[in-house]
Amino acid sequence: MKLLRLLFLITFFIFTSQDAWAGKYKRIISLSPSTTEIVYALGLSDDLVGVTDFCDWPPEAKDKASVGGIINPSLEAIVSLKPDIVLLSLDGQSPELLKRLGDMNVRIYTFKAKRLKGFGGEIVKLAEELGVKEEGAKLRDRINGELEGFENFKKYEGKNVIYIVWPEPLLVAGSGTSINDALKLLGLDNLASDAIGEYPRFSVEELIRRNPDVIFIGNHSMTLAPGEKLLKKLHTLDAVKSGNVFFIGDALHRLGPRTTSGVQELIDSLEGKNNK
Amino acid sequence: MKKLSIILFLVFSLLTIVLSLFIGPEFISPFKMTETEKMILFSIRMPRVVIAVLMGFALGASGAVLQGFLRNPLADPYILGISSGASLFAVFSIVLGSASLLGYFSLPVFAFVGAVATGLLVGVVGYKGGVVWPERLLLAGIGIGFLTSALLMLVITVSPDSELRRSILWIFGDLSLNDWTLIPYGAVLIVLGFALIVTRLKALNALILGDDVAYSLGFNIMKDRVMLFIGVSLMVASAVSLGGVVGFIGLLVPHIVRFIGGSDARYLVPLSAVAGSVMLVVADTLGRTIVSPVELPAGIVTAIIGGPYFLYLLRKRTLFGV
């Protein structure tokens, strides 16, 4: 009996110590590119068993099993991977999917970051849920440090900018988005901050009238033809004439370990270190 | 009296359309314009107003013709499946990325081909024994419409998210980024379609009363029906290729005109065309103005202002003597 007790204790310790040493969950599915990047940054990539078609960073993530798109992942594919936990972001959360996963007793965690301010804290919360709080705290400190560094960059303060997320119809980043936060951090004035909604459908003629100094275009959404159609309309703008139109990668959109490099990309564009 | 009110209506329509050019997020004064305002007026507002005029014209006229032709008050320009055929091909063009093949024209050309092909197919199914039968045509349109819609959903389901989004936005119709490129082609095709219809309006009046009446009045039923059908198909196909599928106008504008101006096709069809133009222009102007700098799609605004007006008229008018 004593022996049995001892055996129990030993196995218990082995398991708990393993928990402290690696993540708490052995089978993680990430349903957003953002959480996929964070899971990698926290060093838990071996426990990641499923991602979406859009999880393309780090490049190895593309080799993981896919469960479909962000908005419409396959429930069967998720369940057949037998996840211990499913990670979601606030974008593309369908209540039906949450309910079905809940019905099947799949553990769900939502990464609630939406804005630049305080998203480091959300990373720590996620890391805590995954049993690697310290790694999360390190990541947060790195991000917050870099963000603070950007605050001193005031070279282009007061420049009027617009950030286009979709060319046709014209959708731009409004106030209440992490993109707007990044622009403000660099002292840039977002010309669309008075429009209602996060990504408002913006008036082309208003864009021309407001005449931005700089146009940023999120190139994740750019298919060639419609983007050209829009730029043809905008050819008289100062930004277009002086070549201040910059394509920005998707690091800035994804709140995660690369967000600060997205902010750096904005700076590099303004400094002329980025190709147009 | 009737002539006078028609002239007044036409003058009012023309004024509304011209005035709409100057209304938007900011009012532009026609007497003193800055360079930027000139550019906004000529290369942004004018093309979208012209496209709204063309689309509204085509949809209003086609709706009025089809309601008589099919003897069905629920008929609208999309009931013959033409719009879903256009949407299917347009989405094909987006998904296949054939942009490189035809460049700028890829999407509208695909949409037009899809619309005409669907129209032809409906026409062939609806034709039997030397006559195009309205009932057969209507059911053929509904059947083929379901088929093309299903194929459309299939294409959308298997296409990646970014293309899916662009496809859906196209289907809902967007006038905000149009420029002059497509306007000449659209205008020629719509005028051609309208010309085909105008010559058959007397026949349409007779056809509404029944085939035997039309026949005994000396009309060539077969030929008149085919002409009307070709004219409508041309106009609807062009309208959809120009700016996507804008609902409501083709269905309710003819009813509104009928409530006010009577159901003589010789007046009803041209007046529905003009009323359709005015309605879409006004809706698009409101859409770009009321919540500026954000824009609302014209199709949504049309239904929101037109729906209650239609219901008001429906209550006010006497129908079938009640």
Side-chain angles (χ1 to χ4, degrees), chain A residues 85-255:
Chain A
I85 190 165
V86 172
L87 307 179
L88 301 122
S89 71
L90 285 176
D91 298 327
Q93 270 211 16
S94 90
E96 293 82 10
L97 179 72
L98 289 181
K99 185 180 174 300
R100 297 287 286 141
L101 287 173
D103 289 347
M104 285 176 219
N105 293 321
V106 174
R107 193 175 171 84
I108 300 165
Y109 181 86
T110 304
F111 177 59
K112 292 205 182 67
K114 229 177 148 60
R115 306 295 293 266
L116 218 50
K117 202 168 187 175
F119 93 90
E122 288 298 328
I123 289 184
V124 178
K125 278 191 211 160
L126 172 62
E128 191 175 2
E129 172 70 26
L130 297 177
V132 286
K133 192 177 175 187
E134 292 203 352
E135 289 299 318
K138 267 189 234 162
L139 187 55
R140 173 196 60 196
D141 294 343
R142 198 245 313 149
I143 290 167
N144 285 347
E146 286 174 5
L147 287 177
E148 272 168 39
F150 291 128
E151 281 173 24
N152 304 319
F153 183 84
K154 294 291 178 214
K155 195 168 158 193
Y156 297 93
E157 197 165 8
K159 286 257 183 209
N160 291 319
V161 303
I162 193 98
Y163 194 106
I164 296 172
V165 293
W166 193 263
E168 188 188 349
L170 181 61
L171 303 180
V172 302
S175 59
T177 59
S178 61
I179 294 173
N180 188 57
D181 294 341
L183 299 175
K184 260 165 79 180
L185 189 69
L186 301 179
L188 303 169
D189 285 339
N190 183 358
L191 282 179
S193 53
D194 64 329
I196 316 157
E198 287 182 11
Y199 295 98
R201 194 184 147 121
F202 205 73
S203 157
V204 180
E205 56 176 272
E206 264 312 288
L207 177 57
I208 291 176
R209 197 191 317 277
R210 295 180 184 196
N211 199 7
D213 301 314
V214 179
I215 299 176
F216 294 115
I217 305 179
N219 69 0
H220 65 292
S221 63
M222 278 316 239
T223 44
L224 197 64
E228 277 175 358
K229 198 171 169 185
L230 177 69
L231 286 179
K232 220 166 91 186
K233 285 261 175 221
L234 302 179
H235 69 276
T236 56
L237 291 186
D238 292 343
V240 179
K241 278 195 235 160
S242 54
N244 287 326
V245 179
F246 305 108
F247 291 93
I248 304 294
D250 45 19
L252 187 62
H253 298 242
R254 294 184 189 171
L255 289 175

Side-chain angles (χ1 to χ4, degrees), chain B residues 91-298:
Chain B
V91 169
F92 259 133
S93 124
I94 292 172
V95 172
L96 294 176
S98 59
S100 51
L101 206 69
L102 288 161
Y104 186 88
F105 287 96
S106 169
L107 201 153
V109 167
F110 262 71
F112 188 76
V113 169
V116 170
T118 316
L120 270 179
L121 188 60
V122 172
V124 167
V125 176
Y127 176 90
K128 196 165 190 187
V131 188
V132 178
W133 299 93
E135 295 76 15
R136 200 179 273 277
L137 206 59
L138 184 64
L139 291 175
I142 290 172
I144 290 168
F146 268 112
L147 184 65
T148 43
S149 304
L151 290 174
L152 177 67
M153 290 316 292
L154 180 70
V155 175
I156 288 181
T157 309
V158 298
S159 68
D161 281 18
S162 61
E163 280 152 11
L164 183 147
R165 184 158 177 185
R166 213 186 136 210
S167 307
I168 289 172
L169 289 169
W170 184 85
I171 292 170
F172 278 129
D174 175 41
L175 304 179
S176 68
L177 271 178
N178 280 309
D179 57 21
W180 292 102
T181 327
L182 295 173
I183 288 175
Y185 306 95
V188 167
L189 290 168
I190 286 172
V191 168
L192 190 68
F194 189 69
L196 280 179
I197 285 172
V198 163
T199 56
R200 310 282 158 173
L201 290 182
K202 265 190 194 161
L204 182 61
N205 268 338
L207 284 170
I208 293 169
L209 299 173
D211 285 10
D212 38 356
V213 178
Y215 188 73
S216 61
L217 286 171
F219 288 103
N220 183 343
I221 308 177
M222 171 60 196
K223 212 172 148 198
D224 292 334
R225 279 229 176 90
V226 170
M227 283 302 179
L228 286 168
F229 182 67
I230 292 175
V232 164
S233 305
L234 262 186
M235 287 200 292
V236 178
S238 318
V240 177
S241 317
L242 281 177
V245 181
V246 175
F248 184 84
I249 289 188
L251 178 61
L252 289 189
V253 164
H255 284 297
I256 291 175
V257 173
R258 201 174 286 123
F259 285 161
I260 296 169
S263 51
D264 182 347
R266 285 172 302 164
Y267 296 103
L268 175 67
V269 172
L271 288 180
S272 297
V274 176
S277 291
V278 174
M279 187 108 189
L280 192 53
V281 167
V282 169
D284 188 44
T285 307
L286 287 176
R288 69 170 176 255
T289 310
I290 34 183
V291 285
S292 122
V294 180
E295 294 210 350
L296 302 173

Side-chain angles (χ1 to χ4, degrees), chain B residues 67-78:
Chain B
Q67 283 165 9
F69 183 99
L70 300 171
R71 295 181 203 128
N72 189 328
L74 286 179
D76 80 347
Y78 305 137

